[in-house]
């Protein structure tokens, strides 16, 4: 008898998870839409939806267009059922954002990072301060926050508490979850920033509809998320996707990781600016930070042959890196994101051309190469989906 009850609970949770996931990604939908898309029976859908409405998790959102007869009611998540915080821990700033359950941005705050001061306790302090600021701005009580998702540079080792290895930041086995958790009782979910960007683009952006895709993050550093058959590939210890530390030129430019010739040493924002400075014979690049310096380079390319040459070389290097992704993973799409990729968006045709020269013809012809659609907020938005993904998998049960 007990086994039967346990089995029934398990089946019901699976049904809830299937319906909630479909509604979250594709709402508004009718009950009939849910029957067709999930394969569940009409009674099963009706019973679960009734429970979800009673719990305040799902709400009716008006009637669907009808050709006659009784119109079907559209369903969607109740936007204010709960809230989520998304954090982008980059190499130049910490961005903290608050979203409702419709993923509407409610509040945001940024804290610049001094490249010379990226100590873990400083970063943890910014995250905690940001959580207080955005929830305060939106008037949201901590009890109404489902969780905090954090996208961070480097390798995130998952376990009882996430540990971060980020050589570029000087971090070695940093217990980031413990540091942040000491200042909040909210559930924490930590992952690599390229992977959170990839999840955001898969759910809401350029990756929708694809089963095999690679999402490349180009900022100060460079990384990637590889999605195969709809799931992120992580490898043995979640370090898969360190695309920036694949070798572009053996024995080439020194990389921040300690190796030489890494892709990041040519196409990361810091490296591009360094190459431009060298091309200017050591003269400083105008601007107070990497973002303004890269913008100055792009602007100068209209009149400066030196700047134009640096950008053309960057497009070639980036195209070669993309060709490697195409040859290795045979994706349907390669999506370029991150603040530096967005700043260099006009190079996309040249990147495609360079990739075409380097990649094998057949997989290249099957792949599209495009910019991300969610802009510079993609890492934080994707991070905010981490607690939601857990919630959906658990059938809408809060842990």
């Amino acid at each position: 008898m007990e086994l039967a009850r346990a089995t029934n609970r398990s089946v019901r949770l699976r049904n809830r998870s299937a319906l909630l996931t479909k509604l979250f990604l594709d709402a508004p939908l009718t009950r009939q839409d849910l029957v067709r898309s999930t394969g569940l029976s009409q009674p099963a859908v009706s019973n679960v939806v009734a429970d979800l409405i009673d719990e305040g998790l799902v709400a009716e959102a008006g009637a669907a267009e009808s050709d006659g007869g009784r119109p079907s009611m559209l369903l969607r998540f109740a936007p204010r059922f709960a809230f989520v915080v998304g954090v982008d821990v980059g190499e130049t700033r910490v961005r903290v954002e608050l979203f409702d359950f419709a993923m509407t941005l409610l509040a945001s705050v940024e804290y610049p990072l001094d490249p010379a001061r990226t100590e873990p306790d400083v970063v943890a302090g910014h995250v905690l301060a940001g959580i207080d600021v955005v929830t305060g701005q939106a008037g949201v009580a901590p009890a109404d926050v489902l969780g905090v998702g954090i996208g961070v540079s480097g390798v995130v080792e998952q376990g009882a508490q996430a540990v971060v290895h980020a050589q570029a930041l000087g971090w070695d086995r940093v217990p980031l979850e413990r540091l942040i958790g000491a200042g909040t009782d909210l559930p924490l979910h930590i992952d690599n920033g390229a992977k959170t960007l990839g999840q955001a683009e898969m759910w809401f952006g350029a990756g929708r509809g694809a089963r095999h895709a690679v999402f490349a993050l180009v900022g100060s550093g460079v990384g990637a998320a590889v999605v195969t058959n709809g799931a992120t590939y992580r490898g043995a210890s979640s370090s898969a996707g360190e695309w920036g530390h694949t070798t572009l030129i053996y024995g080439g430019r020194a990389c921040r990781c300690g190796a030489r010739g890494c892709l990041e040493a040519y196409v990361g924002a810091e490296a591009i600016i360094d190459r431009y400075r060298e091309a200017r014979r050591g003269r400083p690049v105008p601007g107070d930070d990497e973002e303004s310096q890269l913008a100055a380079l792009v602007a100068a390319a209209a009149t400066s042959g030196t700047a134009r040459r640096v950008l053309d070389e960057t497009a070639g290097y980036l195209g070669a890196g993309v060709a490697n992704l195409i040859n290795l993973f045979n994706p349907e799409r390669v999506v370029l994101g991150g603040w530096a990729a967005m700043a260099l968006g006009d190079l996309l045709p040249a990147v495609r051309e360079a990739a075409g020269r380097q990649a094998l013809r057949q997989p290249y012809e099957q792949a599209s190469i495009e910019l991300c659609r969610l802009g510079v907020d993609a890492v934080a938005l994707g991070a905010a989906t981490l607690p939601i993904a857990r919630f959906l998998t658990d059938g809408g049960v809060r842990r």
Side-chain angles (χ1 to χ4, degrees), residues 307-388:
R308 184 71 261 162
R309 184 172 66 255
V310 169
L311 289 184
D312 289 344
E313 291 171 350
T314 300
Y317 294 140
L318 191 53
V322 168
N324 288 339
L325 294 174
I326 290 172
N327 288 344
L328 283 169
F329 300 110
N330 188 205
E332 302 163 61
R333 297 176 203 168
V334 177
V335 178
L336 301 176
W339 69 264
M342 303 306 293
L344 300 171
D346 288 345
L347 297 182
L348 186 60
V351 170
R352 288 174 174 148
E353 183 180 343
R357 290 195 299 268
Q358 297 297 121
L360 293 171
R361 185 180 303 112
Q362 191 265 354
Y364 174 76
E365 290 174 348
Q366 290 183 338
S368 66
I369 303 169
E370 53 195 272
L371 287 176
C372 80
R373 296 179 188 170
L374 302 176
V376 296
D377 282 342
V379 173
L381 176 63
T385 68
L386 297 179
I388 290 179

Side-chain angles (χ1 to χ4, degrees), residues 58-130:
V58 169
E60 292 185 334
E65 292 184 6
S66 173
D67 294 330
R70 184 178 177 182
S72 298
M73 297 303 295
L74 291 166
L75 303 168
R76 61 173 172 80
F77 266 72
R80 299 188 72 83
F81 172 80
F83 304 86
V84 286
V85 175
V87 182
D88 176 3
V89 178
E91 296 177 10
T92 59
R93 68 191 64 227
V94 175
R95 177 183 285 118
V96 183
E97 299 183 337
L98 178 73
F99 301 86
D100 65 15
F101 244 45
M103 300 312 292
T104 301
L105 179 63
L106 303 180
S108 178
V109 65
E110 286 188 356
Y111 300 93
L113 281 179
D114 181 348
R117 293 198 70 235
T118 55
E119 292 91 345
D121 58 340
V122 172
V123 170
H126 288 330
V127 173
L128 291 168

